[in-house]
Structure formats: structure tokens, C-alpha cells
Amino acid sequence: MPVSPIAPVQGVLPSNFVSGAGAATGTDGSGFASTLTGAVDNLQQLQSTSKELAVSAVTGDLSDIHNATLAASRAQITLELVATVRNKGVDAFNEIMRMQA
């Protein structure tokens, strides 16, 4: 079973930050929400693939342990990335709420 490569996060371009695009008009956050949803969906797919390969390795049906190791590493790193982004989002929200109080 071939392992799919980690898909890059789409929708976040450095040019948006440099040019200040959207700063004057404001946004509803749907772009960030859809990007985060895509990252979580990708994480779930990677974890599912990792779990399938791990079961294959344990049952002896796996011909290449390298794929199982890569899938497990990808799933772990992606989980850490999503958790870090979530934590930074919560920290930012808490900071905004603290500033308003």
C-alpha cells in the first residue's frame, strides 16, 4: 500500500501578509477555518493509513516496514503541528479576551 505524501497547507500565502491584503476590509475567518479543517482531515487520513500499516506489520502482511515507519512519523508530526496551531489559536484568543477585560 503506497503512502501518500503530506499535503501542504493551502490558502496561506506570504504575499497576503506582506501586502496587507484583507486588513482594511476584514474577514469572517472562513479561510482560516477551512484551512484548519483541511489539516484535521489530512491528519485523520494519515492516522488511518498509519494504523492500517501498523496492523499489517503486526499480522505479518506488510512487505516493507519502511512504509509503516514513514506513515507513523508523518501522522505524529502532523498531529504535533495541528496541536501547536490549535494551542497558538487558543493563546491568541485568550490574549484578546484579556485585553478587552
Side-chain angles (χ1 to χ4, degrees):
M1 169 184 266
V3 177
S4 62
I6 295 175
V9 176
Q10 300 296 322
V12 180
L13 300 173
S15 62
N16 291 345
F17 297 110
V18 174
S19 66
T25 61
T27 67
D28 61 356
S30 62
F32 178 74
S34 64
T35 300
L36 194 56
T37 301
V40 170
D41 290 342
N42 185 33
L43 171 62
Q44 289 174 339
Q45 180 184 10
L46 288 170
Q47 287 179 331
S48 175
T49 302
S50 175
K51 187 182 293 185
E52 289 173 8
L53 290 172
V55 168
S56 295
V58 170
T59 59
D61 297 333
L62 187 66
S63 61
D64 187 12
I65 193 70
H66 181 71
N67 287 336
T69 305
L70 284 176
S73 296
R74 286 180 177 150
Q76 178 184 1
I77 291 169
T78 304
L79 176 63
E80 290 173 5
L81 175 65
V82 170
T84 300
V85 170
R86 183 212 53 201
N87 291 343
K88 290 295 183 179
V90 169
D91 290 345
F93 174 79
N94 288 334
E95 182 67 20
I96 290 169
M97 296 306 291
R98 186 184 65 76
M99 289 172 22
Q100 291 179 353

PDB file of all heavy atoms in Angstrom, residues 61-84:
ATOM      1  N   ASP A  61       1.567  -9.184   7.319  1.00  0.00           N
ATOM      2  CA  ASP A  61       1.160  -8.977   5.933  1.00  0.00           C
ATOM      3  C   ASP A  61       1.910  -7.841   5.251  1.00  0.00           C
ATOM      4  O   ASP A  61       1.709  -7.596   4.069  1.00  0.00           O
ATOM      5  CB  ASP A  61      -0.344  -8.680   5.859  1.00  0.00           C
ATOM      6  CG  ASP A  61      -1.170  -9.848   6.349  1.00  0.00           C
ATOM      7  OD1 ASP A  61      -0.689 -10.998   6.262  1.00  0.00           O
ATOM      8  OD2 ASP A  61      -2.304  -9.609   6.816  1.00  0.00           O
ATOM      9  N   LEU A  62       2.746  -7.147   5.975  1.00  0.00           N
ATOM     10  CA  LEU A  62       3.444  -5.990   5.427  1.00  0.00           C
ATOM     11  C   LEU A  62       4.776  -6.423   4.826  1.00  0.00           C
ATOM     12  O   LEU A  62       5.571  -7.101   5.468  1.00  0.00           O
ATOM     13  CB  LEU A  62       3.683  -4.946   6.532  1.00  0.00           C
ATOM     14  CG  LEU A  62       4.247  -3.613   6.101  1.00  0.00           C
ATOM     15  CD1 LEU A  62       3.236  -2.884   5.218  1.00  0.00           C
ATOM     16  CD2 LEU A  62       4.551  -2.759   7.312  1.00  0.00           C
ATOM     17  N   SER A  63       5.003  -6.032   3.582  1.00  0.00           N
ATOM     18  CA  SER A  63       6.243  -6.430   2.914  1.00  0.00           C
ATOM     19  C   SER A  63       7.369  -5.427   3.138  1.00  0.00           C
ATOM     20  O   SER A  63       8.537  -5.771   3.055  1.00  0.00           O
ATOM     21  CB  SER A  63       5.994  -6.603   1.415  1.00  0.00           C
ATOM     22  OG  SER A  63       5.567  -5.375   0.861  1.00  0.00           O
ATOM     23  N   ASP A  64       7.027  -4.171   3.427  1.00  0.00           N
ATOM     24  CA  ASP A  64       8.047  -3.127   3.588  1.00  0.00           C
ATOM     25  C   ASP A  64       7.756  -2.329   4.856  1.00  0.00           C
ATOM     26  O   ASP A  64       6.835  -1.512   4.891  1.00  0.00           O
ATOM     27  CB  ASP A  64       8.048  -2.217   2.365  1.00  0.00           C
ATOM     28  CG  ASP A  64       9.189  -1.215   2.378  1.00  0.00           C
ATOM     29  OD1 ASP A  64      10.104  -1.366   3.214  1.00  0.00           O
ATOM     30  OD2 ASP A  64       9.161  -0.281   1.554  1.00  0.00           O
ATOM     31  N   ILE A  65       8.523  -2.567   5.896  1.00  0.00           N
ATOM     32  CA  ILE A  65       8.324  -1.875   7.174  1.00  0.00           C
ATOM     33  C   ILE A  65       8.638  -0.386   7.060  1.00  0.00           C
ATOM     34  O   ILE A  65       8.164   0.415   7.855  1.00  0.00           O
ATOM     35  CB  ILE A  65       9.157  -2.545   8.286  1.00  0.00           C
ATOM     36  CG1 ILE A  65       8.727  -2.049   9.675  1.00  0.00           C
ATOM     37  CG2 ILE A  65      10.631  -2.293   8.079  1.00  0.00           C
ATOM     38  CD1 ILE A  65       7.381  -2.528  10.084  1.00  0.00           C
ATOM     39  N   HIS A  66       9.416  -0.031   6.047  1.00  0.00           N
ATOM     40  CA  HIS A  66       9.773   1.368   5.827  1.00  0.00           C
ATOM     41  C   HIS A  66       8.524   2.227   5.645  1.00  0.00           C
ATOM     42  O   HIS A  66       8.433   3.320   6.202  1.00  0.00           O
ATOM     43  CB  HIS A  66      10.697   1.471   4.610  1.00  0.00           C
ATOM     44  CG  HIS A  66      11.161   2.845   4.294  1.00  0.00           C
ATOM     45  ND1 HIS A  66      12.073   3.516   5.088  1.00  0.00           N
ATOM     46  CD2 HIS A  66      10.840   3.689   3.282  1.00  0.00           C
ATOM     47  CE1 HIS A  66      12.290   4.711   4.565  1.00  0.00           C
ATOM     48  NE2 HIS A  66      11.556   4.840   3.467  1.00  0.00           N
ATOM     49  N   ASN A  67       7.543   1.741   4.878  1.00  0.00           N
ATOM     50  CA  ASN A  67       6.306   2.497   4.658  1.00  0.00           C
ATOM     51  C   ASN A  67       5.536   2.700   5.954  1.00  0.00           C
ATOM     52  O   ASN A  67       4.975   3.771   6.191  1.00  0.00           O
ATOM     53  CB  ASN A  67       5.411   1.786   3.634  1.00  0.00           C
ATOM     54  CG  ASN A  67       5.951   1.907   2.233  1.00  0.00           C
ATOM     55  OD1 ASN A  67       6.701   2.813   1.910  1.00  0.00           O
ATOM     56  ND2 ASN A  67       5.570   0.963   1.383  1.00  0.00           N
ATOM     57  N   ALA A  68       5.495   1.687   6.799  1.00  0.00           N
ATOM     58  CA  ALA A  68       4.795   1.807   8.079  1.00  0.00           C
ATOM     59  C   ALA A  68       5.484   2.822   8.984  1.00  0.00           C
ATOM     60  O   ALA A  68       4.824   3.624   9.654  1.00  0.00           O
ATOM     61  CB  ALA A  68       4.716   0.452   8.766  1.00  0.00           C
ATOM     62  N   THR A  69       6.805   2.809   8.987  1.00  0.00           N
ATOM     63  CA  THR A  69       7.555   3.758   9.806  1.00  0.00           C
ATOM     64  C   THR A  69       7.342   5.183   9.322  1.00  0.00           C
ATOM     65  O   THR A  69       7.137   6.100  10.124  1.00  0.00           O
ATOM     66  CB  THR A  69       9.054   3.407   9.780  1.00  0.00           C
ATOM     67  OG1 THR A  69       9.219   2.049  10.200  1.00  0.00           O
ATOM     68  CG2 THR A  69       9.852   4.320  10.683  1.00  0.00           C
ATOM     69  N   LEU A  70       7.390   5.383   8.005  1.00  0.00           N
ATOM     70  CA  LEU A  70       7.148   6.721   7.449  1.00  0.00           C
ATOM     71  C   LEU A  70       5.737   7.207   7.744  1.00  0.00           C
ATOM     72  O   LEU A  70       5.539   8.368   8.108  1.00  0.00           O
ATOM     73  CB  LEU A  70       7.385   6.722   5.942  1.00  0.00           C
ATOM     74  CG  LEU A  70       8.832   6.724   5.474  1.00  0.00           C
ATOM     75  CD1 LEU A  70       8.893   6.629   3.954  1.00  0.00           C
ATOM     76  CD2 LEU A  70       9.538   7.972   5.946  1.00  0.00           C
ATOM     77  N   ALA A  71       4.762   6.337   7.597  1.00  0.00           N
ATOM     78  CA  ALA A  71       3.372   6.727   7.858  1.00  0.00           C
ATOM     79  C   ALA A  71       3.184   7.117   9.323  1.00  0.00           C
ATOM     80  O   ALA A  71       2.499   8.095   9.627  1.00  0.00           O
ATOM     81  CB  ALA A  71       2.430   5.595   7.479  1.00  0.00           C
ATOM     82  N   ALA A  72       3.784   6.360  10.231  1.00  0.00           N
ATOM     83  CA  ALA A  72       3.671   6.680  11.651  1.00  0.00           C
ATOM     84  C   ALA A  72       4.341   8.014  11.972  1.00  0.00           C
ATOM     85  O   ALA A  72       3.801   8.831  12.730  1.00  0.00           O
ATOM     86  CB  ALA A  72       4.283   5.561  12.490  1.00  0.00           C
ATOM     87  N   SER A  73       5.490   8.263  11.371  1.00  0.00           N
ATOM     88  CA  SER A  73       6.200   9.529  11.599  1.00  0.00           C
ATOM     89  C   SER A  73       5.422  10.708  11.036  1.00  0.00           C
ATOM     90  O   SER A  73       5.316  11.758  11.679  1.00  0.00           O
ATOM     91  CB  SER A  73       7.588   9.491  10.969  1.00  0.00           C
ATOM     92  OG  SER A  73       8.378   8.516  11.590  1.00  0.00           O
ATOM     93  N   ARG A  74       4.862  10.540   9.840  1.00  0.00           N
ATOM     94  CA  ARG A  74       4.059  11.614   9.239  1.00  0.00           C
ATOM     95  C   ARG A  74       2.848  11.936  10.097  1.00  0.00           C
ATOM     96  O   ARG A  74       2.515  13.097  10.325  1.00  0.00           O
ATOM     97  CB  ARG A  74       3.620  11.222   7.839  1.00  0.00           C
ATOM     98  CG  ARG A  74       4.709  11.287   6.823  1.00  0.00           C
ATOM     99  CD  ARG A  74       4.207  10.884   5.456  1.00  0.00           C
ATOM    100  NE  ARG A  74       5.268  11.013   4.473  1.00  0.00           N
ATOM    101  CZ  ARG A  74       5.365  10.277   3.399  1.00  0.00           C
ATOM    102  NH1 ARG A  74       4.459   9.355   3.139  1.00  0.00           N
ATOM    103  NH2 ARG A  74       6.359  10.457   2.559  1.00  0.00           N
ATOM    104  N   ALA A  75       2.179  10.899  10.578  1.00  0.00           N
ATOM    105  CA  ALA A  75       0.998  11.111  11.413  1.00  0.00           C
ATOM    106  C   ALA A  75       1.376  11.817  12.716  1.00  0.00           C
ATOM    107  O   ALA A  75       0.677  12.737  13.157  1.00  0.00           O
ATOM    108  CB  ALA A  75       0.312   9.785  11.709  1.00  0.00           C
ATOM    109  N   GLN A  76       2.489  11.432  13.312  1.00  0.00           N
ATOM    110  CA  GLN A  76       2.923  12.042  14.566  1.00  0.00           C
ATOM    111  C   GLN A  76       3.295  13.509  14.370  1.00  0.00           C
ATOM    112  O   GLN A  76       2.878  14.372  15.148  1.00  0.00           O
ATOM    113  CB  GLN A  76       4.117  11.284  15.141  1.00  0.00           C
ATOM    114  CG  GLN A  76       4.655  11.895  16.419  1.00  0.00           C
ATOM    115  CD  GLN A  76       5.908  11.197  16.925  1.00  0.00           C
ATOM    116  OE1 GLN A  76       6.384  10.260  16.303  1.00  0.00           O
ATOM    117  NE2 GLN A  76       6.431  11.649  18.034  1.00  0.00           N
ATOM    118  N   ILE A  77       4.059  13.818  13.337  1.00  0.00           N
ATOM    119  CA  ILE A  77       4.487  15.188  13.083  1.00  0.00           C
ATOM    120  C   ILE A  77       3.291  16.075  12.735  1.00  0.00           C
ATOM    121  O   ILE A  77       3.183  17.214  13.197  1.00  0.00           O
ATOM    122  CB  ILE A  77       5.562  15.224  11.984  1.00  0.00           C
ATOM    123  CG1 ILE A  77       6.857  14.597  12.518  1.00  0.00           C
ATOM    124  CG2 ILE A  77       5.812  16.645  11.498  1.00  0.00           C
ATOM    125  CD1 ILE A  77       7.900  14.341  11.475  1.00  0.00           C
ATOM    126  N   THR A  78       2.359  15.537  11.951  1.00  0.00           N
ATOM    127  CA  THR A  78       1.170  16.306  11.594  1.00  0.00           C
ATOM    128  C   THR A  78       0.316  16.567  12.823  1.00  0.00           C
ATOM    129  O   THR A  78      -0.225  17.667  12.998  1.00  0.00           O
ATOM    130  CB  THR A  78       0.360  15.578  10.508  1.00  0.00           C
ATOM    131  OG1 THR A  78       1.203  15.331   9.386  1.00  0.00           O
ATOM    132  CG2 THR A  78      -0.831  16.401  10.059  1.00  0.00           C
ATOM    133  N   LEU A  79       0.188  15.580  13.704  1.00  0.00           N
ATOM    134  CA  LEU A  79      -0.561  15.776  14.946  1.00  0.00           C
ATOM    135  C   LEU A  79       0.078  16.871  15.791  1.00  0.00           C
ATOM    136  O   LEU A  79      -0.616  17.733  16.345  1.00  0.00           O
ATOM    137  CB  LEU A  79      -0.647  14.469  15.731  1.00  0.00           C
ATOM    138  CG  LEU A  79      -1.317  14.553  17.103  1.00  0.00           C
ATOM    139  CD1 LEU A  79      -2.770  14.977  16.951  1.00  0.00           C
ATOM    140  CD2 LEU A  79      -1.221  13.231  17.829  1.00  0.00           C
ATOM    141  N   GLU A  80       1.392  16.859  15.898  1.00  0.00           N
ATOM    142  CA  GLU A  80       2.090  17.888  16.663  1.00  0.00           C
ATOM    143  C   GLU A  80       1.867  19.268  16.051  1.00  0.00           C
ATOM    144  O   GLU A  80       1.665  20.249  16.775  1.00  0.00           O
ATOM    145  CB  GLU A  80       3.578  17.566  16.741  1.00  0.00           C
ATOM    146  CG  GLU A  80       3.892  16.364  17.616  1.00  0.00           C
ATOM    147  CD  GLU A  80       5.351  15.944  17.547  1.00  0.00           C
ATOM    148  OE1 GLU A  80       6.162  16.633  16.898  1.00  0.00           O
ATOM    149  OE2 GLU A  80       5.683  14.908  18.151  1.00  0.00           O
ATOM    150  N   LEU A  81       1.879  19.356  14.720  1.00  0.00           N
ATOM    151  CA  LEU A  81       1.660  20.627  14.042  1.00  0.00           C
ATOM    152  C   LEU A  81       0.250  21.151  14.283  1.00  0.00           C
ATOM    153  O   LEU A  81       0.056  22.321  14.636  1.00  0.00           O
ATOM    154  CB  LEU A  81       1.910  20.488  12.540  1.00  0.00           C
ATOM    155  CG  LEU A  81       1.597  21.724  11.703  1.00  0.00           C
ATOM    156  CD1 LEU A  81       2.530  22.871  12.062  1.00  0.00           C
ATOM    157  CD2 LEU A  81       1.679  21.393  10.231  1.00  0.00           C
ATOM    158  N   VAL A  82      -0.744  20.286  14.126  1.00  0.00           N
ATOM    159  CA  VAL A  82      -2.138  20.701  14.330  1.00  0.00           C
ATOM    160  C   VAL A  82      -2.356  21.109  15.788  1.00  0.00           C
ATOM    161  O   VAL A  82      -3.023  22.108  16.070  1.00  0.00           O
ATOM    162  CB  VAL A  82      -3.106  19.576  13.897  1.00  0.00           C
ATOM    163  CG1 VAL A  82      -4.528  19.882  14.322  1.00  0.00           C
ATOM    164  CG2 VAL A  82      -3.042  19.396  12.391  1.00  0.00           C
ATOM    165  N   ALA A  83      -1.787  20.369  16.725  1.00  0.00           N
ATOM    166  CA  ALA A  83      -1.924  20.712  18.141  1.00  0.00           C
ATOM    167  C   ALA A  83      -1.254  22.048  18.448  1.00  0.00           C
ATOM    168  O   ALA A  83      -1.800  22.860  19.210  1.00  0.00           O
ATOM    169  CB  ALA A  83      -1.328  19.616  19.018  1.00  0.00           C
ATOM    170  N   THR A  84      -0.118  22.314  17.840  1.00  0.00           N
ATOM    171  CA  THR A  84       0.573  23.585  18.057  1.00  0.00           C
ATOM    172  C   THR A  84      -0.234  24.753  17.503  1.00  0.00           C
ATOM    173  O   THR A  84      -0.360  25.798  18.156  1.00  0.00           O
ATOM    174  CB  THR A  84       1.976  23.551  17.417  1.00  0.00           C
ATOM    175  OG1 THR A  84       2.725  22.492  18.016  1.00  0.00           O
ATOM    176  CG2 THR A  84       2.705  24.856  17.616  1.00  0.00           C
TER     177      THR A  84
END
